[in-house]
CSV table of all heavy atoms in Angstrom, one decimal:
chain,number,residue,atom,x,y,z
A,403,SER,N,3.3,-1.1,65.8
A,403,SER,CA,3.2,-2.6,65.9
A,403,SER,C,3.9,-3.0,67.2
A,403,SER,O,3.3,-3.9,67.9
A,403,SER,CB,3.8,-3.2,64.7
A,403,SER,OG,3.6,-4.7,64.8
A,404,LYS,N,5.0,-2.4,67.5
A,404,LYS,CA,5.6,-2.8,68.8
A,404,LYS,C,4.7,-2.5,70.0
A,404,LYS,O,4.7,-3.3,70.9
A,404,LYS,CB,6.8,-1.9,69.0
A,404,LYS,CG,8.1,-2.2,68.3
A,404,LYS,CD,9.2,-1.2,68.8
A,404,LYS,CE,10.5,-1.7,68.3
A,404,LYS,NZ,11.6,-1.3,69.2
A,405,ARG,N,4.0,-1.4,69.9
A,405,ARG,CA,3.1,-1.0,71.0
A,405,ARG,C,1.7,-1.7,70.9
A,405,ARG,O,0.8,-1.4,71.7
A,405,ARG,CB,2.9,0.5,71.0
A,405,ARG,CG,4.2,1.3,71.2
A,405,ARG,CD,4.8,1.0,72.6
A,405,ARG,NE,5.9,1.9,72.9
A,405,ARG,CZ,5.8,2.9,73.7
A,405,ARG,NH1,4.7,3.0,74.5
A,405,ARG,NH2,6.8,3.7,73.9
A,406,LYS,N,1.5,-2.5,69.9
A,406,LYS,CA,0.2,-3.2,69.6
A,406,LYS,C,-0.9,-2.2,69.4
A,406,LYS,O,-2.1,-2.5,69.8
A,406,LYS,CB,-0.1,-4.2,70.8
A,406,LYS,CG,1.0,-5.1,71.2
A,406,LYS,CD,1.2,-6.3,70.3
A,406,LYS,CE,2.2,-7.3,70.8
A,406,LYS,NZ,3.6,-6.8,70.9
A,407,VAL,N,-0.6,-1.0,68.9
A,407,VAL,CA,-1.7,-0.1,68.5
A,407,VAL,C,-2.4,-0.5,67.3
A,407,VAL,O,-1.7,-1.1,66.4
A,407,VAL,CB,-1.0,1.3,68.3
A,407,VAL,CG1,-2.0,2.3,67.8
A,407,VAL,CG2,-0.4,1.8,69.6
A,408,SER,N,-3.6,-0.4,67.3
A,408,SER,CA,-4.4,-0.8,66.1
A,408,SER,C,-4.2,0.0,64.9
A,408,SER,O,-4.4,1.2,64.9
A,408,SER,CB,-5.9,-0.8,66.5
A,408,SER,OG,-6.7,-1.2,65.3
A,409,ILE,N,-3.6,-0.6,63.8
A,409,ILE,CA,-3.3,0.1,62.6
A,409,ILE,C,-4.5,-0.1,61.7
A,409,ILE,O,-5.0,-1.2,61.5
A,409,ILE,CB,-2.0,-0.4,61.9
A,409,ILE,CG1,-0.8,-0.1,62.8
A,409,ILE,CG2,-1.9,0.1,60.5
A,409,ILE,CD1,0.5,-0.6,62.3
A,410,ASP,N,-5.0,1.0,61.1
A,410,ASP,CA,-6.1,0.9,60.1
A,410,ASP,C,-5.6,0.5,58.8
A,410,ASP,O,-5.9,-0.6,58.2
A,410,ASP,CB,-6.9,2.2,60.0
A,410,ASP,CG,-8.0,2.2,59.1
A,410,ASP,OD1,-8.4,1.1,58.6
A,410,ASP,OD2,-8.5,3.3,58.8
A,411,ILE,N,-4.7,1.3,58.2
A,411,ILE,CA,-4.1,0.9,56.9
A,411,ILE,C,-2.8,1.7,56.8
A,411,ILE,O,-2.6,2.7,57.4
A,411,ILE,CB,-5.0,1.3,55.7
A,411,ILE,CG1,-4.6,0.6,54.5
A,411,ILE,CG2,-5.2,2.8,55.6
A,411,ILE,CD1,-5.6,0.6,53.4
A,412,GLY,N,-1.9,1.1,56.0
A,412,GLY,CA,-0.6,1.7,55.7
A,412,GLY,C,0.5,0.9,56.3
A,412,GLY,O,0.2,-0.1,57.0
A,413,PRO,N,1.7,1.3,56.0
A,413,PRO,CA,2.2,2.5,55.2
A,413,PRO,C,1.7,2.4,53.8
A,413,PRO,O,1.8,1.3,53.1
A,413,PRO,CB,3.7,2.4,55.3
A,413,PRO,CG,4.0,1.5,56.4
A,413,PRO,CD,2.9,0.5,56.5
A,414,THR,N,1.2,3.5,53.2
A,414,THR,CA,0.8,3.5,51.8
A,414,THR,C,0.9,5.0,51.4
A,414,THR,O,1.3,5.9,52.1
A,414,THR,CB,-0.5,2.9,51.6
A,414,THR,OG1,-0.8,2.8,50.2
A,414,THR,CG2,-1.7,3.7,52.3
A,415,ARG,N,0.4,5.2,50.2
A,415,ARG,CA,0.3,6.6,49.6
A,415,ARG,C,-1.1,6.9,49.3
A,415,ARG,O,-1.9,6.0,48.9
A,415,ARG,CB,1.2,6.7,48.4
A,415,ARG,CG,1.3,8.1,47.8
A,415,ARG,CD,1.7,8.1,46.4
A,415,ARG,NE,3.1,7.9,46.2
A,415,ARG,CZ,4.1,8.8,46.3
A,415,ARG,NH1,3.8,10.0,46.7
A,415,ARG,NH2,5.3,8.5,46.0
A,416,HIS,N,-1.5,8.1,49.6
A,416,HIS,CA,-2.8,8.7,49.1
A,416,HIS,C,-2.6,9.1,47.6
A,416,HIS,O,-1.6,9.7,47.3
A,416,HIS,CB,-3.3,9.8,49.9
A,416,HIS,CG,-3.6,9.6,51.3
A,416,HIS,ND1,-4.5,8.6,51.7
A,416,HIS,CD2,-3.2,10.1,52.4
A,416,HIS,CE1,-4.7,8.6,53.0
A,416,HIS,NE2,-3.9,9.5,53.5
A,417,GLY,N,-3.6,8.9,46.8
A,417,GLY,CA,-3.6,9.5,45.5
A,417,GLY,C,-3.9,11.0,45.7
A,417,GLY,O,-3.1,11.9,45.2
A,418,ILE,N,-4.9,11.3,46.4
A,418,ILE,CA,-5.2,12.7,46.8
A,418,ILE,C,-4.1,13.2,47.7
A,418,ILE,O,-3.7,12.6,48.7
A,418,ILE,CB,-6.6,12.7,47.6
A,418,ILE,CG1,-7.7,12.4,46.6
A,418,ILE,CG2,-6.8,14.1,48.2
A,418,ILE,CD1,-9.0,12.2,47.3
A,419,THR,N,-3.5,14.3,47.3
A,419,THR,CA,-2.4,15.0,48.0
A,419,THR,C,-1.0,14.3,47.8
A,419,THR,O,0.0,14.9,48.2
A,419,THR,CB,-2.6,15.2,49.5
A,419,THR,OG1,-2.3,14.0,50.2
A,419,THR,CG2,-4.0,15.7,49.9
A,420,ARG,N,-1.0,13.1,47.2
A,420,ARG,CA,0.3,12.4,47.1
A,420,ARG,C,0.9,11.9,48.4
A,420,ARG,O,2.0,11.4,48.3
A,420,ARG,CB,1.3,13.2,46.4
A,420,ARG,CG,1.2,13.6,45.0
A,420,ARG,CD,2.5,14.4,44.7
A,420,ARG,NE,2.2,15.2,43.5
A,420,ARG,CZ,3.0,16.3,43.2
A,420,ARG,NH1,4.0,16.6,44.0
A,420,ARG,NH2,2.7,17.0,42.2
A,421,GLY,N,0.3,12.3,49.5
A,421,GLY,CA,0.9,12.1,50.8
A,421,GLY,C,1.2,10.6,51.1
A,421,GLY,O,0.4,9.7,50.8
A,422,GLU,N,2.3,10.3,51.8
A,422,GLU,CA,2.6,9.0,52.3
A,422,GLU,C,2.1,8.9,53.7
A,422,GLU,O,2.2,9.8,54.5
A,422,GLU,CB,4.2,8.8,52.3
A,422,GLU,CG,4.7,9.0,50.9
A,422,GLU,CD,5.8,10.0,50.8
A,422,GLU,OE1,6.2,10.6,51.8
A,422,GLU,OE2,6.3,10.3,49.7
A,423,THR,N,1.5,7.8,54.1
A,423,THR,CA,0.6,7.8,55.2
A,423,THR,C,0.5,6.5,56.0
A,423,THR,O,0.8,5.4,55.4
A,423,THR,CB,-0.9,8.1,54.7
A,423,THR,OG1,-1.8,8.1,55.8
A,423,THR,CG2,-1.4,7.1,53.7
A,424,ILE,N,0.1,6.6,57.2
A,424,ILE,CA,-0.4,5.4,58.0
A,424,ILE,C,-1.5,5.9,58.9
A,424,ILE,O,-1.4,7.0,59.5
A,424,ILE,CB,0.7,4.7,58.7
A,424,ILE,CG1,0.2,3.4,59.4
A,424,ILE,CG2,1.4,5.6,59.8
A,424,ILE,CD1,1.2,2.5,59.9
Side-chain angles (χ1 to χ4, degrees):
Chain A
S403 185
K404 279 183 171 211
R405 300 296 191 108
K406 312 281 188 294
V407 171
S408 176
I409 293 175
D410 180 11
I411 194 166
T414 188
R415 185 197 282 282
H416 294 305
I418 293 170
T419 76
R420 292 183 202 158
E422 301 124 5
T423 178
I424 185 166

